[in-house]
Amino acid sequence: LDDVAAGAVMKHSSQWNLTRQAVLDSGLAAETPGLDVQRACGTSLEAAILLGNKIALGQIDCAIAGGVDTVSDPPVVYPKSFQQRLLRSYRAKSTGERIGPWFGLRPKDLRPVLPGIAEPHTGLSMGESTELMVKTWGISRADQDQLALESHQNAAAAYASGFYQGLVLEYLGLTSDNNIRSDTSLEKLAKLRPVFDLSGNGTLTAGNSTPMTDGASAVLLASEAWAREHDLPVLAFLTYGKVAAVDFVHKKEGLLMAPAFAVPRMLHDAKLTLQDFDYYEIHEAFAGQV
């Protein structure tokens, strides 16, 4: 293959070249280039668009676009105070200078810092930001629970009908997404407590919000000529992609509202509407956002 791309949402510094290492461990030719990209919640999509553009420009013939997230093994670091002591000790010229920074070491310097899920400018997590958004747009708890229920039901039905056969590969005995709740109901969802807004006005729960989990995906992209040459059926075409951003700090447009701008722009480019599709998937973190 001419190119491979993947990325991760939360990466440890030792994984700076994650994709290249994946190539070397995969059995692909060692001469296969690999590169990392990173976009919160959209890494694999960004990788696919990037590589699709390279194929369209004739720079490469084929590529594997992928994404990976491992929340069960997140990077854990120590406070900046501990980091600075390490650096001062490392840069020291003499034994005394190397030992000196450690005389001021305090227990708080050794307290691990877990990955931050809060947005730095607002100090709010995605869930807290979504709580503000659903209040702005008047989205009820009942509507969120209904959409969550339908999502679980549709996912369970898709597995039962064989839709995912050949698309989801078994790993360590796991053959399907382990966060699908085929036995859930509106009654069960209604009993769950809000987890982000605890004031009594919260609507986001563990049932209508996405879980944090592990997962990976990949897709083979190629030009039509390369696919024909290798007797591979063309299952789909990547034709349009769009990325948007919003000013959620000053204009208060809503941290997760960017897709509401990107999707209409992409449809405009394609001269299509949502009603022109038989099937589409909206992949977002919260039912309230969808």
Side-chain angles (χ1 to χ4, degrees), residues 78-79 81-83 85 104-112:
Y78 286 93
S81 58
F82 185 72
Q83 173 213 44
R85 293 184 191 280
L105 187 66
R106 297 291 182 269
K108 65 178 181 179
D109 296 327
L110 300 175
R111 183 182 302 164

Side-chain angles (χ1 to χ4, degrees), residues 48-227:
I49 293 171
L50 169 66
L51 295 175
N53 289 341
K54 285 179 173 288
I55 293 171
L57 290 171
Q59 296 177 353
I60 59 177
D61 296 319
C62 61
I64 295 175
V68 58
D69 197 8
T70 309
V71 181
S72 64
D73 185 25
V76 177
V77 299
Y78 286 93
K80 189 172 183 178
S81 58
F82 185 72
Q83 173 213 44
Q84 292 301 310
R85 293 184 191 280
L86 279 173
L87 290 175
R88 289 200 302 271
S89 179
Y90 176 77
R91 294 168 182 159
K93 303 295 185 182
S94 67
T95 301
E97 290 174 341
R98 292 191 188 98
I99 297 175
W102 301 108
F103 287 124
L105 187 66
R106 297 291 182 269
K108 65 178 181 179
D109 296 327
L110 300 175
R111 183 182 302 164
V113 179
L114 296 175
I117 58 174
E119 196 286 319
H121 288 83
T122 63
L124 301 176
S125 67
M126 290 175 60
E128 292 168 331
S129 294
T130 305
E131 279 285 12
L132 297 177
M133 190 169 67
V134 298
K135 290 179 175 63
T136 298
W137 290 90
I139 300 171
S140 69
R141 163 76 181 269
D143 286 343
Q144 294 177 58
D145 285 351
Q146 180 65 42
L147 182 61
L149 174 64
E150 294 175 5
S151 179
H152 283 291
Q153 291 175 334
N154 291 338
Y159 271 104
S161 67
F163 177 84
Y164 284 109
Q165 187 174 358
L167 295 178
V168 177
L169 304 180
E170 179 179 350
Y171 182 69
L172 297 179
L174 191 66
T175 58
S176 66
D177 291 323
N178 62 356
N179 51 20
I180 298 174
R181 303 289 182 261
S182 59
D183 62 343
T184 193
S185 65
L186 286 178
E187 291 73 24
K188 290 181 178 180
L189 290 170
K191 292 179 181 178
L192 298 175
R193 297 179 180 179
V195 293
F196 297 106
D197 181 352
L198 306 181
S199 68
N201 298 315
T203 59
L204 272 67
T205 70
N208 59 34
S209 305
T210 185
M212 299 185 73
T213 185
D214 296 352
S217 62
V219 61
L220 174 64
L221 301 170
S223 66
E224 288 187 74
W226 190 92

